[in-house]
Amino acid sequence: MGKALDGVRVLDFTHVQSGPTCTQLLAWFGADVIKVERPGEGDVTRGQLRDVPNADSLYFTMLNSNKRSITLDTKNPEGKKVLEELVKICDVMVENFAPGALDRMGFTWERIQELNPRIILASVKGFGPGPFEDCKVYENVAQCTGGSASTTGFRDGLPLVTAAQIGDSGTGLHLALGIVTALYQRTLTGRGQKVLCAMQDAVLNFCRVKMRDQQRLDRGPLREYSQFGEGLPFGDTVPRAGNDSGGGQPGRILKCKGWETDPNAYIYFITQAPVWAKICDVIGEPEWKTDPNYATPAARLPHLNEIFTRIEAWTMAHTKFEAMEILNGLDIPCGPVLSMKEIAADESLYATGTLVELDHPTRGKYLTVGNPIKLSDNDVEVERSPLLGEHTEEILAEVLGLGGDEIERIKTSGAVGETVRLAAE
């Protein structure tokens, strides 16, 4: 079987997380991703949060699988010429520089189009056009400006950011979809175009249910929120709702057996209406099936705290896995709170390629997350991340078709810095 993006060449001018997430996904689908890095330095994450001395950090290795690395000093005239030649033959250029950085390098959209009118220029920025357009943005800033933090946490506590990287990785996923969409449109028009994904926009897209609730709030209280059952008034903005479900089926995180010593001995339990009778039976409250205070979803809303307290008394008598087995057998929706340690030990995730163990020439074996999107006809193995400049000579020769003398001249000019030579692996 082939690869979904066979023949697509991507010029990867990204760093840290949002851009590399996007280009790694394209590489997993078979695109030839050429990561352009500064000689001697490379992507800043190579050295951030380093756990093995003199080796690329996990921060870098887990975001740059299946890519090739070329070192290039774009301020060097020879380096700039090499970059121009790469622009001419690439299908996509992806960047997540600070606003205006690409223009200052001499690569305005107009100049890029002169070099290659079919290229897709894809950019991650913090904000779209508007008052904050020129501001730098990081993960947690995006979560705050996109509406996530204001609606995350408990009602009486601080706004909270989520551990899920919805600002960085979430934006990268959105941008990847924009790129493949633009590539498809190019088959119809023959033209390239710009693709922009702002981090604020991506986070807001993930938070659309809270924008839904903001509009509902104008018409009355949010009855599925805990504070409604507690008789507490709502303000004029969507409140933080703890672990209440964000949908129409009330849900909570509940303690399970061992919670006193295990910080993850919890389960998420949803009181889905179609299985309410089974819930009543399993927790030992069969009379709730006909009691007018509990029999219908609307009647239950003012009593959610009482209901979940009773359910929790049942879950606390079982481990999260015992509860999961019993509830799953009754089609009652639930899910254990799994720690990263538990997830890393789940053999089924390795079988599907969701988790992959790779071998790296300087750091040894490491665990990484594989492609979360499975295509039956996309046969691409997850490969380790490249060393800094590992493929410089290979790209100059194979991609640009340069001969040995020309490559030596470029190296002598200082345009590519020191090139990496690996012993046979």
Side-chain angles (χ1 to χ4, degrees), residues 273 276 288-303 307:
W276 175 246
W288 281 4
K289 290 185 283 187
T290 55
D291 188 317
N293 287 322
Y294 308 100
T296 67
R300 290 192 288 274
L301 290 176
H303 304 285
I307 289 169

Side-chain angles (χ1 to χ4, degrees), residues 21-229:
T21 296
C22 169
T23 52
Q24 179 172 253
L25 191 61
L26 301 177
W28 280 337
F29 286 131
D32 179 15
V33 176
I34 299 172
K35 186 175 180 73
V36 181
E37 301 186 77
R38 187 176 301 172
E41 299 179 29
D43 190 319
V44 66
T45 59
R46 285 185 183 271
Q48 285 186 348
L49 306 176
R50 183 175 276 162
D51 59 313
V52 176
N54 302 315
D56 290 333
S57 71
L58 289 168
Y59 196 1
F60 177 84
T61 62
M62 294 180 71
L63 287 163
N64 291 281
S65 298
N66 293 61
K67 302 178 185 179
R68 298 198 280 178
S69 170
I70 180 174
T71 48
L72 209 57
D73 180 359
T74 57
K75 294 180 180 179
N76 180 300
E78 289 296 330
K80 188 171 184 179
K81 287 180 184 177
V82 171
L83 179 57
E84 289 180 342
E85 293 304 310
L86 287 170
V87 170
K88 289 178 183 178
I89 62 172
C90 283
D91 299 283
V92 182
M93 182 176 182
V94 189
E95 60 92 17
N96 63 334
F97 292 125
L102 204 59
D103 290 354
R104 292 191 292 273
M105 289 170 57
F107 288 90
T108 63
W109 173 233
E110 291 73 23
R111 176 56 179 154
I112 291 170
Q113 281 190 303
E114 286 177 8
L115 294 169
N116 184 353
R118 287 175 53 82
I119 200 168
I120 309 298
L121 174 61
S123 302
V124 170
K125 293 292 176 277
F127 298 95
F132 304 125
E133 184 175 4
D134 294 329
C135 296
K136 289 184 179 180
V137 174
Y138 290 85
E139 169 66 45
N140 290 348
V141 174
Q143 290 193 30
C144 290
T145 59
S148 176
S150 71
T151 55
T152 302
F154 288 90
R155 186 172 59 249
D156 299 327
L158 291 171
L160 291 178
V161 296
T162 173
Q165 304 287 280
I166 60 175
D168 276 326
S169 287
T171 304
L173 291 170
H174 280 83
L175 189 67
L177 175 59
I179 289 170
V180 295
T181 303
L183 285 170
Y184 176 77
Q185 189 171 20
R186 191 180 71 176
T187 66
L188 306 175
T189 66
R191 298 194 309 272
Q193 62 181 296
K194 291 193 289 184
V195 178
L196 169 67
C197 190
M199 294 172 72
Q200 182 188 39
D201 298 357
V203 171
L204 180 57
N205 189 39
F206 285 136
C207 292
R208 63 175 59 237
V209 296
K210 299 302 181 180
M211 185 60 74
R212 172 204 67 192
D213 291 348
Q214 182 64 48
Q215 297 172 83
R216 292 173 56 224
L217 190 57
D218 293 338
R219 298 174 177 84
L222 304 173
R223 298 170 64 88
E224 78 281 8
Y225 281 56
S226 297
Q227 71 186 76
F228 174 75

